[in-house]
C-alpha cells in the first residue's frame, strides 16, 4: 500500500501512523523524524534544516526531495510506504509524481486529518516525545506510566523545540499556504479521504481503517 498521511501540526499524523503500522506491514517514513535525526547527528542536512525547523518554517524543497527519494530506494519500501509529512508543497508533490513513476509506486490513498485550532494548541503544548524510540505521549490524553519517562525504552521524555503556541501559528500559516493546495492536488486525483481527527485516537483510527479498506 502506498499511503500519504497529511494534516496540520498536532493533528495526530504520528499517532495514527503508529496504529497503521500495527495492522499494515509498510515502513513509516516521517520527514520530520528524519530531519530531527539529522539535526541530532549534526549532519550537513541537519545543520541546514535546523534554523527552519526551530522557526516552524518549511525546509527547502530540494533538500527534502533528495532525502525522500533516497529513503524510498531502501529495500523495505518494496512493500509500499506510509509517508508522514511529505509532500508539503506543490513543488514537492510534483517532484514526488516523478519519483513514484520511476519506482512504480503511485499514491493510492491520502488520509487528510482535520482538526480545529483549540484542539491543536492543547495537543502541541501537552505533547511529550521520546527522543530515542520516538514514542509519542500527551500529559493529559496519553500520559506515560511514570511522569517524564518513556514506557517503551525508559528514556527521559522531551518537549519538542517547535512545540510552542508561537511556532504553531507559523506552522499553521505554512500549512494553509503551502500544504492545503497539495491536498487539493490529490483530491483531483480522487484519492483523498477526509478524517475527523478531533475525536479520540480510537475513533480517528476507526475512520482511517475504513478509508484504507478501500485500497487494501
Ligand atoms: P513534523 O515532525 O512533520 O511536524 P508536524 O507536521 O508539525 O506534525 P507534528 O509531528 O507536530 O504532529 P502530528 O500530526 O504527528 O501529531 P502527533 O501524532 O504527534 O515536521 C516538523 C518540521 O520539520 C516542520 O515544521 C518543518 O520545518 C520540517 N519538515 C518536515 N517535513 C517537511 C517537508 N516535507 N517539507 C519541508 N519541511 C518539512 O500528536 C500530537 C499530540 O496529540 C500528541 O501528544 C498525541 O498524543 C496527541 N494526540 C494525537 N491524536 C490524538 C487524538 N485523536 N486524541 C487525543 N490526543 C491525540
Amino acid at each position: 500500500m502506498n499511503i500519504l498521511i497529511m494534516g496540520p501540526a498536532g493533528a495526530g499524523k504520528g499517532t495514527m501512523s503508529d496504529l497503521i503500522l500495527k495492522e499494515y506491514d509498510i515502513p513509516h517514513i516521517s520527514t520530520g523524524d528524519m530531519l530531527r535525526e539529522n539535526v541530532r547527528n549534526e549532519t550537513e542536512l541537519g545543520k541546514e534544516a535546523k534554523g527552519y525547523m526551530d522557526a516552524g518554517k518549511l525546509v527547502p524543497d530540494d533538500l527534502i526531495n533528495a532525502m525522500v527519494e533516497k529513503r524510498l530506494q531502501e529495500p523495505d519500501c518494496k512493500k509500499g510506504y506510509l509517508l508522514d509529512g511529505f509532500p508539503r508543497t506543490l513543488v514537492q508533490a510534483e517532484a514526488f509524481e516523478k519519483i513514484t513513476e520511476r519506482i512504480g509506486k503511485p499514491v493510492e490513498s491520502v488520509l487528510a486529518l482535520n482538526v480545529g485550532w483549540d484542539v491543536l494548541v492543547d495537543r502541541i503544548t501537552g505533547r511529550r516525545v521520546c527522543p530515542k524510540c520516538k514514542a509519542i505521549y500527551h500529559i493529559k490524553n496519553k500520559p506515560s506510566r511514570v511522569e517524564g519517562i518513556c514506557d517503551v525504552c525508559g528514556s527521559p521524555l522531551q518537549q519538542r523545540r517547535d512545540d510552542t503556541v508561537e511556532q504553531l501559528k507559523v506552522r499553521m500559516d505554512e500549512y494553509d499556504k503551502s500544504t492545503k493546495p497539495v491536498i487539493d492536488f490529490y483530491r483531483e486525483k480522487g484519492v483523498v479521504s477526509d478524517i475527523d481527527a478531533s475525536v479520540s485516537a480510537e475513533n480517528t483510527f476507526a475512520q482511517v481503517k475504513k478509508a484504507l479498506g478501500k485500497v487494501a
Side-chain angles (χ1 to χ4, degrees), residues 6-18 30-33 35-36 49-50 52-61 64-65 67-68 84-89 92 113 115 119-120 122-124 126-129 136-139 141-142 160 162-163 168 171 174-175 196-205:
M6 302 184 66
K13 301 181 291 297
T15 301
M16 284 306 115
S17 296
D18 286 348
S30 155
T31 45
D33 282 347
L35 289 167
R36 280 185 288 278
K50 187 172 183 298
Y52 295 98
M53 296 175 76
D54 285 350
K57 307 288 277 182
L58 293 178
V59 173
D61 293 322
I64 299 288
N65 292 342
M67 181 179 84
V68 170
D84 162 359
F86 179 91
R88 248 166 155 113
T89 66
Q92 292 178 13
L113 306 188
V115 182
V119 175
L120 293 179
D122 181 65
R123 288 191 186 167
I124 284 291
R127 172 165 57 188
R128 300 293 181 269
V129 291
I136 305 167
Y137 300 89
H138 188 280
I139 52 172
N141 307 337
K142 197 183 173 225
R160 265 171 51 179
D162 56 350
D163 276 354
L168 178 61
R171 287 151 80 191
E174 290 276 31
Y175 182 76
D196 174 8
S198 63
V199 295
S200 70
E202 195 185 20
N203 287 340
T204 306
F205 188 53

Side-chain angles (χ1 to χ4, degrees), residues 1 16 19-20 22-24 109 111 193 195 201-216:
M1 281 170 105
M16 284 306 115
L19 295 171
I20 292 168
K22 288 186 184 142
E23 299 230 353
Y24 304 91
S109 178
L111 303 167
S193 299
I195 309 286
E202 195 185 20
N203 287 340
T204 306
F205 188 53
Q207 298 171 62
V208 165
K209 279 209 286 196
K210 201 168 165 201
L212 294 181
K214 291 180 204 155
V215 291

Side-chain angles (χ1 to χ4, degrees), residues 46-180:
K47 284 179 199 159
E48 274 205 63
K50 187 172 183 298
Y52 295 98
M53 296 175 76
D54 285 350
K57 307 288 277 182
L58 293 178
V59 173
D61 293 322
D62 51 342
L63 297 180
I64 299 288
N65 292 342
M67 181 179 84
V68 170
E69 176 150 25
K70 191 165 166 241
R71 176 66 184 87
L72 285 173
Q73 281 159 13
E74 288 179 24
D76 59 342
C77 295
K78 286 212 168 73
K79 301 173 208 158
Y81 50 79
L82 169 59
L83 260 168
D84 162 359
F86 179 91
R88 248 166 155 113
T89 66
L90 281 175
V91 172
Q92 292 178 13
E94 277 150 16
F96 192 52
E97 284 291 286
K98 298 203 179 95
I99 296 173
T100 54
E101 261 172 43
R102 277 201 290 280
I103 62 174
K105 296 217 170 302
V107 174
E108 293 169 296
S109 178
V110 177
L111 303 167
L113 306 188
N114 301 306
V115 182
W117 171 254
D118 290 346
V119 175
L120 293 179
V121 170
D122 181 65
R123 288 191 186 167
I124 284 291
T125 52
R127 172 165 57 188
R128 300 293 181 269
V129 291
C130 175
K132 194 163 173 213
C133 74
K134 315 265 180 343
I136 305 167
Y137 300 89
H138 188 280
I139 52 172
K140 287 183 288 183
N141 307 337
K142 197 183 173 225
S144 56
R145 280 193 298 271
V146 178
E147 197 185 329
I149 300 294
C150 179
D151 293 347
V152 183
C153 71
S155 301
L157 299 179
Q158 292 180 349
Q159 197 163 9
R160 265 171 51 179
R161 296 161 66 94
D162 56 350
D163 276 354
T164 63
V165 177
E166 199 181 44
Q167 256 87 331
L168 178 61
K169 280 187 192 138
V170 180
R171 287 151 80 191
M172 275 308 283
D173 284 349
E174 290 276 31
Y175 182 76
D176 287 341
K177 189 179 69 185
S178 304
T179 309
K180 277 191 176 164

